[in-house]
Amino acid sequence: KTYFAWCGKLHVFSANVVSSGVIEELPISEIKLPINPLRSFQELDELSISIAQKGLLQPIIVRTAYDKSSYEIVAGCRRYLACKRIGRRKIACQITNLDDKEAFEVSIIENVQRKTLAVMDEAKASKTYVSSYGWGGVSELAAKLGKSMSYVTKRIMLLNLPKEVRDSIIERTLSPSIAEELIYVQKNEDKSKLAKLILNRHLTIKNVRKLVMEIDNDKMTDTDFVTHNVQDKVRKQR
């Protein structure tokens, strides 16, 4: 049987890496999650119902584990967990022979292209690839993701924002595009203050950009952060 069909948007690199793999129905008991998955696995109800009703539309990607007696998931952890939840004993797998670097690349590429990876998880995965493992520079990762170097760099720099700002991104109260503007503010204290101001006043990215310039030029005072003065500044920018 041929189950395998890549999403059209998925980068050509990942398709080439796994194209030689064999597709088989493997016992779920012989498959395990990766040691360091890129994301947490929540909200599986909808996916479980879909698989129960329509079946698994695309196989997961696995590789032989180091113990040689089982398989480790490269991509498709949520599909695996959903199948396990509904009591499936076997699951369609694309069995590949990937090393650690290739497995990580396929995993991050699939998640980014499918937009199933949370922003901060993507940032951590990108930093892991570039800095922790040293598998390649920003330009190499960007090329494999089909993204710009600026995109990858900004994602990684989100990790340097204060914790309360990062938490706002995780909770989806602060958009990644607006959070990226805070990267250019020098003081962490000002980053936190501006983030609170953005949330309280529902400022647009255009407003935020100009306020960041005000901060850099020392034209924003502590009073501006907590009084109506900032609204005057925003109004003048329009």
Side-chain angles (χ1 to χ4, degrees):
K1 296 180 181 180
T2 301
Y3 299 87
F4 190 58
W6 283 103
C7 171
K9 294 182 179 179
L10 192 58
H11 199 271
V12 174
F13 166 80
S14 58
N16 289 339
V17 167
V18 299
S19 60
S20 59
V22 176
I23 297 175
E24 290 185 18
E25 291 265 356
L26 296 178
I28 281 183
S29 60
E30 295 180 7
I31 302 169
K32 59 185 181 182
L33 293 170
I35 297 174
N36 295 307
L38 298 186
R39 54 183 297 199
S40 58
F41 308 110
Q42 300 173 348
E43 301 177 0
L44 294 172
D45 291 345
E46 187 175 337
L47 180 59
S48 299
I49 292 171
S50 175
I51 292 175
Q53 293 177 343
K54 303 176 183 177
L56 185 66
L57 301 181
Q58 180 180 342
I60 66 173
I61 303 171
V62 300
R63 64 173 180 162
T64 303
Y66 288 112
D67 60 15
K68 305 296 182 183
S69 63
S70 59
Y71 297 89
E72 180 185 276
I73 298 173
V74 174
C77 293
R78 291 184 75 251
R79 279 167 278 162
Y80 158 80
L81 290 172
C83 286
K84 194 173 181 180
R85 174 178 286 192
I86 62 176
R88 292 237 176 154
R89 295 187 177 181
K90 290 189 175 183
I91 185 171
C93 299
Q94 178 92 359
I95 305 172
T96 62
N97 183 25
L98 303 176
D99 60 26
D100 290 344
K101 179 185 177 183
E102 291 170 334
F104 193 93
E105 288 171 342
V106 170
S107 180
I108 189 173
I109 288 168
E110 178 177 90
N111 278 286
V112 169
Q113 295 296 337
R114 286 173 171 271
K115 298 181 180 179
T116 56
L117 198 60
V119 173
M120 297 310 297
D121 287 337
E122 182 184 342
K124 291 175 185 175
S126 297
K127 184 177 181 180
T128 297
Y129 183 89
V130 173
S131 302
S132 302
Y133 291 160
W135 280 330
V138 169
S139 59
E140 182 178 350
L141 180 58
K144 288 175 179 177
L145 292 175
K147 302 288 186 179
S148 67
M149 289 177 59
S150 174
Y151 174 93
V152 175
T153 299
K154 287 180 179 179
R155 277 291 189 264
I156 294 174
M157 290 178 72
L158 289 177
L159 296 171
N160 297 328
L161 292 172
K163 183 181 182 301
E164 59 269 23
V165 180
R166 299 196 307 271
D167 288 344
S168 295
I169 299 172
I170 293 170
E171 294 163 4
R172 299 182 182 180
T173 55
L174 186 66
S175 73
S177 57
I178 288 183
E180 286 173 356
E181 297 300 320
L182 303 181
I183 290 169
Y184 305 105
V185 177
Q186 293 185 3
K187 298 178 181 178
N188 277 343
E189 183 181 359
D190 287 343
K191 291 175 183 177
S192 298
K193 287 179 180 178
L194 187 51
K196 289 179 182 177
L197 187 64
I198 291 166
L199 296 177
N200 291 336
R201 301 298 177 92
H202 307 290
L203 301 181
T204 67
I205 191 167
K206 181 180 178 181
N207 296 150
V208 173
R209 236 169 240 165
K210 293 188 176 181
L211 288 175
V212 168
M213 291 178 64
E214 294 273 357
I215 294 171
D216 286 344
N217 293 327
D218 293 326
K219 293 181 180 179
M220 278 280 286
T221 67
D222 287 341
T223 304
D224 287 331
F225 280 113
V226 296
T227 69
H228 65 280
N229 291 355
V230 71
Q231 199 65 34
D232 294 335
K233 288 179 179 292
V234 169
R235 197 175 293 114
K236 290 175 183 178
Q237 291 166 9
R238 292 175 181 170

